[in-house]
mmCIF file of all heavy atoms in Angstrom:
data_model
loop_
_atom_site.group_PDB
_atom_site.id
_atom_site.type_symbol
_atom_site.label_atom_id
_atom_site.label_comp_id
_atom_site.label_asym_id
_atom_site.label_seq_id
_atom_site.Cartn_x
_atom_site.Cartn_y
_atom_site.Cartn_z
ATOM 1 N N ASP A 193 -45.439 17.734 -137.227
ATOM 2 C CA ASP A 193 -46.813 17.290 -137.319
ATOM 3 C C ASP A 193 -47.066 16.703 -138.647
ATOM 4 O O ASP A 193 -48.154 16.089 -138.829
ATOM 5 C CB ASP A 193 -47.717 18.581 -137.052
ATOM 6 C CG ASP A 193 -47.689 19.672 -138.087
ATOM 7 O OD1 ASP A 193 -46.627 19.774 -138.757
ATOM 8 O OD2 ASP A 193 -48.564 20.394 -138.159
ATOM 9 N N GLY A 194 -46.119 16.839 -139.634
ATOM 10 C CA GLY A 194 -46.346 16.129 -140.965
ATOM 11 C C GLY A 194 -46.532 14.604 -140.650
ATOM 12 O O GLY A 194 -47.043 13.852 -141.476
ATOM 13 N N LEU A 195 -45.870 14.136 -139.646
ATOM 14 C CA LEU A 195 -46.039 12.743 -139.221
ATOM 15 C C LEU A 195 -47.273 12.486 -138.374
ATOM 16 O O LEU A 195 -48.118 11.745 -138.710
ATOM 17 C CB LEU A 195 -44.778 12.267 -138.461
ATOM 18 C CG LEU A 195 -44.931 10.650 -138.206
ATOM 19 C CD1 LEU A 195 -44.615 9.784 -139.320
ATOM 20 C CD2 LEU A 195 -43.944 10.326 -136.939
ATOM 21 N N SER A 196 -47.227 13.167 -137.281
ATOM 22 C CA SER A 196 -48.259 12.909 -136.145
ATOM 23 C C SER A 196 -49.714 13.296 -136.592
ATOM 24 O O SER A 196 -50.596 12.802 -135.968
ATOM 25 C CB SER A 196 -47.861 13.516 -134.883
ATOM 26 O OG SER A 196 -47.513 14.892 -134.972
ATOM 27 N N ASP A 197 -49.861 14.297 -137.516
ATOM 28 C CA ASP A 197 -51.141 14.635 -138.029
ATOM 29 C C ASP A 197 -51.811 13.386 -138.755
ATOM 30 O O ASP A 197 -53.054 13.354 -138.859
ATOM 31 C CB ASP A 197 -51.177 15.852 -138.881
ATOM 32 C CG ASP A 197 -51.371 17.135 -138.035
ATOM 33 O OD1 ASP A 197 -51.545 17.058 -136.830
ATOM 34 O OD2 ASP A 197 -51.379 18.253 -138.754
ATOM 35 N N VAL A 198 -51.078 12.664 -139.442
ATOM 36 C CA VAL A 198 -51.640 11.665 -140.293
ATOM 37 C C VAL A 198 -51.316 10.205 -139.902
ATOM 38 O O VAL A 198 -51.995 9.298 -140.337
ATOM 39 C CB VAL A 198 -51.138 11.827 -141.754
ATOM 40 C CG1 VAL A 198 -51.706 13.163 -142.331
ATOM 41 C CG2 VAL A 198 -49.677 11.784 -141.916
ATOM 42 N N VAL A 199 -50.389 10.017 -138.955
ATOM 43 C CA VAL A 199 -50.017 8.667 -138.535
ATOM 44 C C VAL A 199 -50.412 8.585 -136.986
ATOM 45 O O VAL A 199 -49.905 9.431 -136.236
ATOM 46 C CB VAL A 199 -48.625 8.347 -138.722
ATOM 47 C CG1 VAL A 199 -48.287 6.986 -138.317
ATOM 48 C CG2 VAL A 199 -48.303 8.531 -140.219
ATOM 49 N N THR A 200 -51.159 7.653 -136.617
ATOM 50 C CA THR A 200 -51.694 7.573 -135.269
ATOM 51 C C THR A 200 -50.544 7.088 -134.369
ATOM 52 O O THR A 200 -49.616 6.429 -134.724
ATOM 53 C CB THR A 200 -52.813 6.639 -135.160
ATOM 54 O OG1 THR A 200 -52.313 5.280 -135.469
ATOM 55 C CG2 THR A 200 -54.044 6.945 -136.026
ATOM 56 N N ASN A 201 -50.712 7.235 -133.062
ATOM 57 C CA ASN A 201 -49.651 6.879 -132.053
ATOM 58 C C ASN A 201 -49.680 5.269 -132.111
ATOM 59 O O ASN A 201 -48.601 4.735 -131.929
ATOM 60 C CB ASN A 201 -50.031 7.262 -130.711
ATOM 61 C CG ASN A 201 -49.809 8.761 -130.494
ATOM 62 O OD1 ASN A 201 -49.440 9.511 -131.477
ATOM 63 N ND2 ASN A 201 -49.979 9.279 -129.244
ATOM 64 N N ASP A 202 -50.727 4.567 -132.370
ATOM 65 C CA ASP A 202 -50.734 3.114 -132.377
ATOM 66 C C ASP A 202 -49.867 2.676 -133.569
ATOM 67 O O ASP A 202 -49.049 1.754 -133.387
ATOM 68 C CB ASP A 202 -52.156 2.659 -132.623
ATOM 69 C CG ASP A 202 -53.014 2.688 -131.323
ATOM 70 O OD1 ASP A 202 -52.430 3.036 -130.316
ATOM 71 O OD2 ASP A 202 -54.191 2.500 -131.445
ATOM 72 N N VAL A 203 -49.950 3.299 -134.689
ATOM 73 C CA VAL A 203 -49.082 3.009 -135.862
ATOM 74 C C VAL A 203 -47.634 3.284 -135.655
ATOM 75 O O VAL A 203 -46.757 2.457 -135.842
ATOM 76 C CB VAL A 203 -49.591 3.603 -137.176
ATOM 77 C CG1 VAL A 203 -48.641 3.318 -138.278
ATOM 78 C CG2 VAL A 203 -50.886 3.059 -137.476
ATOM 79 N N ILE A 204 -47.316 4.465 -135.009
ATOM 80 C CA ILE A 204 -45.997 4.823 -134.635
ATOM 81 C C ILE A 204 -45.431 3.715 -133.641
ATOM 82 O O ILE A 204 -44.276 3.313 -133.858
ATOM 83 C CB ILE A 204 -45.893 6.208 -133.959
ATOM 84 C CG1 ILE A 204 -46.264 7.277 -134.954
ATOM 85 C CG2 ILE A 204 -44.602 6.501 -133.408
ATOM 86 C CD1 ILE A 204 -46.467 8.681 -134.476
ATOM 87 N N ALA A 205 -46.225 3.432 -132.673
ATOM 88 C CA ALA A 205 -45.826 2.419 -131.708
ATOM 89 C C ALA A 205 -45.430 1.069 -132.429
ATOM 90 O O ALA A 205 -44.415 0.356 -132.182
ATOM 91 C CB ALA A 205 -46.849 2.121 -130.701
ATOM 92 N N ARG A 206 -46.341 0.615 -133.357
ATOM 93 C CA ARG A 206 -46.137 -0.579 -134.003
ATOM 94 C C ARG A 206 -44.787 -0.527 -134.823
ATOM 95 O O ARG A 206 -43.981 -1.461 -134.818
ATOM 96 C CB ARG A 206 -47.254 -0.905 -134.889
ATOM 97 C CG ARG A 206 -47.156 -2.376 -135.549
ATOM 98 C CD ARG A 206 -48.522 -2.740 -136.257
ATOM 99 N NE ARG A 206 -49.179 -1.699 -137.131
ATOM 100 C CZ ARG A 206 -48.473 -1.290 -138.339
ATOM 101 N NH1 ARG A 206 -47.436 -1.831 -138.733
ATOM 102 N NH2 ARG A 206 -49.105 -0.354 -139.096
ATOM 103 N N ILE A 207 -44.605 0.530 -135.625
ATOM 104 C CA ILE A 207 -43.392 0.637 -136.356
ATOM 105 C C ILE A 207 -42.076 0.626 -135.510
ATOM 106 O O ILE A 207 -41.207 -0.019 -135.777
ATOM 107 C CB ILE A 207 -43.362 1.919 -137.249
ATOM 108 C CG1 ILE A 207 -44.408 1.847 -138.347
ATOM 109 C CG2 ILE A 207 -42.017 2.288 -137.920
ATOM 110 C CD1 ILE A 207 -44.851 3.076 -139.068
ATOM 111 N N LEU A 208 -42.128 1.467 -134.326
ATOM 112 C CA LEU A 208 -40.952 1.493 -133.563
ATOM 113 C C LEU A 208 -40.582 0.110 -132.839
ATOM 114 O O LEU A 208 -39.442 -0.087 -132.592
ATOM 115 C CB LEU A 208 -41.111 2.534 -132.392
ATOM 116 C CG LEU A 208 -41.121 4.077 -132.963
ATOM 117 C CD1 LEU A 208 -41.317 4.982 -131.790
ATOM 118 C CD2 LEU A 208 -39.891 4.359 -133.746
ATOM 119 N N GLY A 209 -41.618 -0.715 -132.760
ATOM 120 C CA GLY A 209 -41.358 -2.025 -132.096
ATOM 121 C C GLY A 209 -40.979 -2.998 -133.124
ATOM 122 O O GLY A 209 -40.682 -4.214 -132.862
ATOM 123 N N SER A 210 -40.938 -2.596 -134.493
ATOM 124 C CA SER A 210 -40.786 -3.593 -135.536
ATOM 125 C C SER A 210 -39.234 -3.854 -135.992
ATOM 126 O O SER A 210 -39.081 -4.926 -136.693
ATOM 127 C CB SER A 210 -41.518 -3.178 -136.800
ATOM 128 O OG SER A 210 -40.885 -2.031 -137.430
ATOM 129 N N ALA A 211 -38.409 -3.018 -135.508
ATOM 130 C CA ALA A 211 -36.888 -3.193 -135.945
ATOM 131 C C ALA A 211 -36.049 -2.423 -135.027
ATOM 132 O O ALA A 211 -36.521 -1.662 -134.203
ATOM 133 C CB ALA A 211 -36.905 -2.656 -137.500
ATOM 134 N N THR A 212 -34.781 -2.677 -135.298
ATOM 135 C CA THR A 212 -33.750 -1.931 -134.320
ATOM 136 C C THR A 212 -32.917 -0.975 -135.247
ATOM 137 O O THR A 212 -32.257 -0.272 -134.663
ATOM 138 C CB THR A 212 -32.952 -2.936 -133.602
ATOM 139 O OG1 THR A 212 -32.300 -3.832 -134.584
ATOM 140 C CG2 THR A 212 -33.692 -3.773 -132.569
ATOM 141 N N ASP A 213 -33.036 -1.228 -136.524
ATOM 142 C CA ASP A 213 -32.161 -0.231 -137.391
ATOM 143 C C ASP A 213 -32.892 1.014 -137.525
ATOM 144 O O ASP A 213 -34.024 1.128 -138.089
ATOM 145 C CB ASP A 213 -32.039 -0.922 -138.815
ATOM 146 C CG ASP A 213 -31.147 -0.015 -139.678
ATOM 147 O OD1 ASP A 213 -29.956 -0.077 -139.660
ATOM 148 O OD2 ASP A 213 -31.741 0.775 -140.397
#
Side-chain angles (χ1 to χ4, degrees):
D193 65 340
L195 179 78
S196 50
D197 268 0
V198 295
V199 180
T200 64
N201 286 6
D202 285 350
V203 172
I204 291 172
R206 185 169 50 69
I207 291 171
L208 290 183
S210 70
T212 54
D213 181 85

